[in-house]
């Protein structure tokens, strides 16, 4: 095959591959239609310290109407709201019971209050999201 005839073929292949978007493709913005559902913490890092065990028994539920539920064994422990901001590149989670760090730790255990924050969306797919804020990082996976 002649070199000139390969160029259109390679260009067409590149275009086809770059336009093929799957549901599990990672993005740097959240999809409001794919966010609702139950999620668990796959990893929570506070700087270089792994604090994932603080969340082992909890789940997060993002409801389509913007309600955020903090659950243990399917039971609601706290309720708040979630909002996507900045072109869906930020996820704001507002949970009033987590505003006071000492009270949240006494009621739910260490590090749980960290949920209440404005998170940067680093990666998002229909089954996984990676969020960070002020040196903390959550990786959530769909339950």
């Amino acid at each position: 095959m002649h070199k000139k005839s390969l160029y259109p073929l390679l260009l067409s292949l590149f275009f086809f591959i770059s336009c093929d978007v799957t549901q599990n493709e990672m993005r740097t913005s959240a999809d409001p239609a794919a966010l609702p559902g139950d999620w668990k913490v796959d990893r929570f890092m506070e700087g270089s310290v792994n604090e994932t065990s603080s969340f082992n028994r909890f789940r997060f539920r993002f409801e389509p109407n913007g309600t955020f539920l903090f659950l243990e064994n399917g039971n609601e422990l706290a309720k708040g709201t979630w909002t996507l901001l900045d072109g869906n590149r930020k996820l704001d989670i507002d949970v009033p019971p987590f505003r006071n760090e000492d009270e949240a730790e006494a009621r739910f255990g260490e590090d749980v209050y960290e949920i209440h924050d404005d998170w940067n969306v680093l990666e998002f797919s229909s089954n996984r999201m990676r969020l960070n804020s002020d040196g903390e990082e959550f990786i959530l996976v769909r339950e």
Side-chain angles (χ1 to χ4, degrees):
M1 193 178 260
H2 192 325
K3 286 183 183 179
K4 278 191 171 185
S5 62
L6 281 177
Y7 183 74
L9 176 65
L10 291 174
L11 187 59
S12 298
L13 183 61
F14 174 77
F15 181 77
F16 177 76
I17 291 170
S18 65
C19 291
D20 184 25
V21 177
T22 66
Q23 275 200 334
N24 290 322
E25 180 181 321
M26 288 294 183
R27 307 165 196 230
T28 56
S29 63
D31 178 351
L35 184 61
D38 290 0
W39 298 79
K40 68 178 182 175
V41 176
D42 189 51
R43 185 173 71 185
F44 175 67
M45 299 293 292
E46 192 166 5
S48 62
V49 179
N50 189 332
E51 300 286 353
T52 306
S53 63
S54 297
F55 296 92
N56 285 344
R57 65 183 210 261
F58 302 116
R59 300 296 180 262
F60 304 156
R61 180 173 295 151
F62 295 89
E63 295 189 339
N65 66 359
T67 299
F68 175 84
L69 299 175
F70 181 68
L71 308 166
E72 181 179 34
N73 298 323
N75 298 313
E76 180 183 316
L77 298 177
K79 188 176 195 174
T81 59
W82 66 271
T83 308
L84 290 171
L85 307 167
D86 193 23
N88 298 337
R89 291 186 305 263
K90 289 192 181 286
L91 174 60
D92 180 55
I93 300 174
D94 182 29
V95 185
F98 299 160
R99 287 184 185 150
N100 182 303
E101 180 179 339
D102 294 332
E103 287 179 21
E105 280 191 23
R107 186 170 170 199
F108 303 107
E110 191 176 359
D111 297 315
V112 172
Y113 69 94
E114 299 287 0
I115 298 164
H116 178 89
D117 208 340
D118 193 14
W119 295 94
N120 297 306
V121 177
L122 300 179
E123 296 175 357
F124 184 88
S125 75
S126 61
N127 296 313
R128 183 178 186 272
M129 65 176 122
R130 186 167 65 103
L131 311 169
N132 86 340
S133 177
D134 301 323
E136 298 163 340
E137 180 179 85
F138 268 115
I139 294 180
L140 304 177
V141 292
R142 189 165 300 275
E143 182 75 345

